[in-house]
Amino acid sequence: MNKQETYRSTISDFLGVDQKNIHTYWKGRVALYTALKAMNIGKGDEVILPAFTCVVVPNAIIYLGATPIYVDIDKNSLCAPVKNIEDKISPKTKCILIQNMLGLSFEVDEIIALASSRGIYTIEDCTHGFGGTYNGVYNGLKTDCSFYSTQWNKPFSTGIGGILYVQNKELRSGIEELNKTLKNPSFKNVMILRFLIFAKTYILKNWSYWFLLRLYRKLSSLGLVVGSSSKDEIEGVKKPNDYFMGASNVQAFTGIKVLKKFNKVIEMRKENGIKINEWMQSHNKCHLSKDLIINHSFLKFPVLVKNRESFLLAAEKFKIPMGDWFISHLHPVQGDLSQWKLNVSEFPIAQEVSEQIVNLPTDINHMDSLMRFLEKHKNELL
Ligand SMILES: Cc1ncc(COP(=O)(O)O)c(C=O)c1O
């Protein structure tokens, strides 16, 4: 077996699925694009998705000429509820995207039942949810296709990277044909990625975290290092030339290595997530209901705050690596979203949450300082 095959078999063994239905890509968004393309989605078709996502998600739809149709989220689960989705179904709807937001899932079975009763495809965006379960089944195993991300902060990381699982038999041969047309990432990009993975493993320490994070964001916005998103992807809706790329051996090698320790990490995330949730509940702060906890992989713990900027600064002083994801309906793009056909005033819950959300780390060994930080800043939490 070569490295890529071993990587695919490591993933399929974990999920308990057939290796031939697992495919790997340079990024998660490429897996989504491939699934949509295999569904023959294009001009005149509509794809329903939450109005609280990453901009690269509607990009994949728009690159194919289809129209993204957004729905507002539910404030507790941060996911789009079945009722909101049903209201947006039209004769043009070809696919519904179900998203695990920060690992949370909501009404997945109901949405799949609704879609199949109308002959509509489903794709689960499990970029935050690898290893989490819904009604006892791993996230991503119930929809026609699902995709996972292995980008820096995801459940397990290969620097950047994406995985597609294809459940629907009718889509399998189309996806294999499309995969034959994937480009290889350039030697330069693979070398940069190799260096970044090395730097994250051996250089990124608590004291250097914020400096290196800012440096990485700056360099990737200038296109000088392999970044999560290119300038083209966050400034407009034109598909970048080097978009449709397969996974490199560096990603396969790293994935095989980190997946060996994955069970330990997910257990730690769950334990820490439950601890934070209990604290939130006992202090009358926004917390997750019992049914959401059962499903949750606790990639991060979502928290709503009165003033995000000052809360993030206070966390930095306390050396807590707090996240600022989803600061807009289509993270990280703020302001006018009309290029992506999204009118923010139509989605008030996503608006409110995007103004207040930060996320707490769950993969840290010693939670004491995080808990002390929460105690000290409890009046700033909602
Ligand atoms: C909800 C969501 N969907 C899709 C993606 C895209 O994943 P990738 O960066 O691997 O393309 C992201 C990226 O972080 C995301 O947060």
Side-chain angles (χ1 to χ4, degrees), residues 38-157:
M39 291 169 180
N40 263 325
I41 287 172
K43 205 162 185 297
D45 296 328
E46 292 179 352
V47 177
I48 296 181
L49 72 165
F52 191 54
T53 185
C54 179
V55 70
V56 301
V57 176
N59 275 348
I61 299 165
I62 296 169
Y63 294 165
L64 289 164
T67 307
I69 302 291
Y70 300 94
V71 297
D72 209 352
I73 53 165
D74 153 70
K75 196 169 169 185
N76 295 316
S77 65
L78 308 178
C79 298
V82 66
K83 172 79 187 68
N84 295 5
I85 291 174
E86 189 167 16
D87 289 346
K88 292 286 179 87
I89 292 180
S90 83
K92 293 180 186 171
T93 309
K94 265 277 190 80
C95 181
I96 297 170
L97 267 175
I98 306 170
Q99 182 172 294
N100 304 147
M101 193 49 157
L102 298 178
L104 289 160
S105 314
F106 188 55
E107 299 186 334
V108 175
D109 292 340
E110 291 84 343
I111 299 168
I112 294 172
L114 169 70
S116 67
S117 73
R118 308 277 183 100
I120 296 168
Y121 287 120
T122 48
I123 298 178
E124 194 166 5
D125 178 343
C126 302
T127 48
H128 302 177
F130 185 93
T133 59
Y134 186 77
N135 284 346
V137 177
Y138 277 130
N139 290 331
L141 303 192
K142 293 181 174 181
T143 43
D144 293 296
C145 289
S146 60
F147 68 105
Y148 305 86
S149 172
T150 55
Q151 186 245 19
W152 298 111
N153 278 303
K154 297 303 189 290
F156 76 92
S157 169

